Amino acid sequence: MDLIRNCFPPNIIQANLQQYQTSIIYPGEEFNNITGEDPDDKNTWKVTSNWTNSTNILGLVVFSIVTGIAISLSEEEGIPLLRFVESVSVVMMKVTTWIIHLAPIGVLFLIASQILEMDNIAEEFGKLGWYFGTVMLGLCIHAFITLPLIYIICTRSLPFRFLANMANVYVTAFGTASSSATLPVTMNALEDKNGVDPRISRFVLPIGATINMDGTALYEAVAAIFIAQMNGIFPSIGQIIAISITATCASIGAAGIPQAGLVTMVMVLDTVGLPSESISIILSLDWLLDRFRTAINVLGDTIGAGIVAHLSKKELEEMTLKELKIEEEKALEEENDKL
Ligand code: ASP
């Protein structure tokens, strides 16, 4: 529901900085303080809302679509605004290109600082080795088999060149651990190196960075099963399927920022009846897994955009032809008027 509410932000400036989030006030002291209701009533739950600090990309996308439609319907008078937006986009892409060149150094320091903060890295891997290995195996199967296969089937071409052109994007996703922060780099590479039409990339990618999180869904399912096993519960196949579906829904709700998946993980644990405190078991290695799953999230977005671009080739050509025709007709009309 929050995803849908966030599509219609009440204030577009605020949407750049904050998202709407519903939260539950559990029965107890805080509940009674806020609501002033019977302290012994343990059955009534109250729902409140708050604004969290994170860009509301869906709201911005919906606003942009509405504004774009309005600009195209405004004809002549809408053109200055169109030129302004195009110019901002070109300038920002220039800045992004400079940042991309600094990315390797940034990634080096980001990771070095995380490793230095750990007391004993070998001990952490020893404790969580199987969990870490399982998540990594799942991510590798998804990255090297599932996604390329979908690309091959849909586009009838091999994805090697497409993926190699995007190497920089995956490194940036790994370095920043944020799909949203990687978004400008992803757009840039997809358009410049893979020749994807901006009409596709600029529509598909922001939505993908917000709701398409393959890596996070996979990680949340494995983490929930791992936590269940650590609590002495061995889920049946039916329960594993239920956990996977819940994890996929939770991943849609996760923001494209570092370790957002850890927050929605609590939701998965609550839903499948596991103690949410157990999340502390997996905390120590999450910073590293977060980087890998973010890279897979972004990989999923790019493959999705590549497939949509391939499937929409005909429509795009037709649209371009129509636009050219309209421009030609206009030019002719202007000449006739002059004559
Ligand atoms: N960091 C991830 C992303 O931005 C989200 C998560 O799984 O924590 O895509």
Side-chain angles (χ1 to χ4, degrees):
M1 289 305 293
D2 280 349
L3 276 180
I4 297 170
R5 285 190 199 102
N6 274 321
C7 285
F8 308 98
N11 182 327
I12 198 64
I13 308 290
Q14 183 192 29
N16 287 281
L17 307 166
Q18 293 187 319
Q19 282 199 26
Y20 180 91
Q21 197 178 49
T22 308
S23 50
I24 297 167
I25 312 171
Y26 292 95
E29 211 177 298
E30 195 197 353
F31 177 81
N32 300 320
N33 283 346
I34 296 175
T35 60
E37 284 178 23
D38 178 11
D40 297 324
D41 179 6
K42 299 266 184 259
N43 298 321
T44 320
W45 286 26
K46 274 261 159 9
V47 177
T48 61
S49 59
N50 53 359
W51 292 94
T52 53
N53 291 334
S54 148
T55 309
N56 176 4
I57 295 187
L58 278 187
L60 294 179
V61 169
V62 172
F63 175 78
S64 307
I65 293 171
V66 174
T67 314
I69 293 172
I71 289 179
S72 72
L73 293 179
S74 307
E75 294 180 0
E76 292 283 301
E77 276 160 309
I79 289 176
L81 185 56
L82 177 66
R83 296 271 174 272
F84 171 74
V85 177
E86 279 174 349
S87 162
V88 171
S89 161
V90 171
V91 174
M92 288 321 292
M93 280 303 175
K94 273 250 140 49
V95 177
T96 308
T97 320
W98 297 335
I99 295 173
I100 294 172
H101 290 134
L102 288 175
I105 305 168
V107 171
L108 174 76
F109 283 104
L110 276 169
I111 302 216
S113 71
Q114 293 272 9
I115 292 180
L116 284 174
E117 268 171 28
M118 290 183 90
D119 293 333
N120 188 343
I121 192 165
E123 197 184 303
E124 294 300 341
F125 272 103
K127 269 196 297 193
L128 298 172
W130 280 105
Y131 159 67
F132 186 83
T134 311
V135 176
M136 287 305 295
L137 182 69
L139 293 179
C140 287
I141 292 174
H142 194 60
F144 296 114
I145 301 176
T146 319
L147 286 175
L149 218 76
I150 295 174
Y151 185 90
I152 293 170
I153 293 170
C154 293
T155 66
R156 286 161 207 274
S157 59
L158 292 173
F160 301 120
R161 166 138 345 142
F162 180 88
L163 295 177
N165 284 342
M166 307 289 291
N168 221 334
V169 174
Y170 309 131
V171 172
T172 311
F174 184 82
T176 58
S178 163
S179 327
S180 298
T182 314
L183 189 56
V185 183
T186 320
M187 278 185 190
N188 194 325
L190 209 60
E191 288 166 18
D192 287 357
K193 294 190 182 159
N194 277 327
V196 171
D197 194 299
R199 285 173 287 186
I200 300 290
S201 63
R202 288 172 197 208
F203 180 68
V204 174
L205 288 177
I207 297 176
T210 319
I211 54 181
N212 175 45
M213 303 225 175
D214 332 26
T216 304
L218 195 148
Y219 138 84
E220 290 194 10
V222 175
I225 294 166
F226 174 71
I227 288 173
Q229 291 175 346
M230 292 295 275
N231 281 290
I233 304 162
F234 291 86
S236 63
I237 282 288
Q239 283 167 323
I240 290 178
I241 293 173
I243 290 175
S244 304
I245 294 173
T246 317
T248 307
C249 296
S251 76
I252 294 173
I257 54 171
Q259 300 200 316
L262 207 57
V263 181
T264 52
M265 183 71 218
V266 176
M267 194 178 110
V268 178
L269 295 180
D270 277 344
T271 315
V272 295
L274 291 167
S276 45
E277 310 83 65
S278 308
I279 206 161
S280 56
I281 306 171
I282 56 167
L283 270 185
S284 56
L285 276 185
D286 197 67
W287 66 272
L288 187 56
L289 280 179
D290 187 21
R291 291 169 192 280
F292 285 109
R293 64 179 187 253
T294 306
I296 303 304
N297 290 344
V298 174
L299 174 68
D301 298 341
T302 52
I303 295 261
I307 292 173
V308 175
H310 176 82
L311 298 179
S312 311
K313 236 181 212 163
K314 247 193 189 165
E315 284 91 343
L316 287 174
E317 279 169 6
E318 280 170 12
M319 277 166 72
T320 317
L321 274 177
K322 253 187 205 168
E323 279 164 20
L324 281 176
K325 248 188 192 169
I326 293 173
E327 269 176 32
E328 262 176 31
E329 277 171 15
K330 261 188 195 164
L332 260 176
E333 263 174 37
E334 274 172 23
E335 258 179 41
N336 281 344
D337 286 348
K338 271 184 203 167
L339 284 173

